[in-house]
């Protein structure tokens, strides 16, 4: 997600399948700074959506240090 960043934590869920050769959209959003005193830590949210029907196939969150 960010070159040189160190991943501190990760959580993911797979509510629906993502078949092989299926077109998918990957979205990553910055959702905050978990530790206000350490601005180098950033919380990100991830969502993967099947393009053919709009079904979300993966959701997740990660915390990185840049």
């Amino acid at each position: 997600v960010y070159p040189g960043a160190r991943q501190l934590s990760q959580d993911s869920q797979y509510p629906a399948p993502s078949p092989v050769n299926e077109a998918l959209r990957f979205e990553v959003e910055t959702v905050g700074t978990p530790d206000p005193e350490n601005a180098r830590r950033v919380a990100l949210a991830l969502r993967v959506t099947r393009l053919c029907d709009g079904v979300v196939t993966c959701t997740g969150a990660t915390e990185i240090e840049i």
Side-chain angles (χ1 to χ4, degrees), residues 8-37:
L8 304 173
S9 66
Q10 176 180 323
D11 176 41
S12 55
Q13 299 177 357
Y14 301 90
S18 298
V20 174
N21 296 325
E22 189 71 52
L24 303 170
R25 176 181 344 165
F26 290 77
E27 300 172 82
V28 178
E29 175 185 5
T30 302
V31 293
T33 304
D35 181 359
E37 296 192 15

Side-chain angles (χ1 to χ4, degrees), residues 35-61:
D35 181 359
E37 296 192 15
N38 187 352
R40 294 180 50 152
R41 290 187 176 196
V42 179
L44 304 171
L46 167 71
R47 180 169 49 199
V48 180
T49 307
R50 283 194 310 241
L51 294 181
C52 67
D53 57 9
V55 171
V56 174
T57 63
C58 178
T59 60

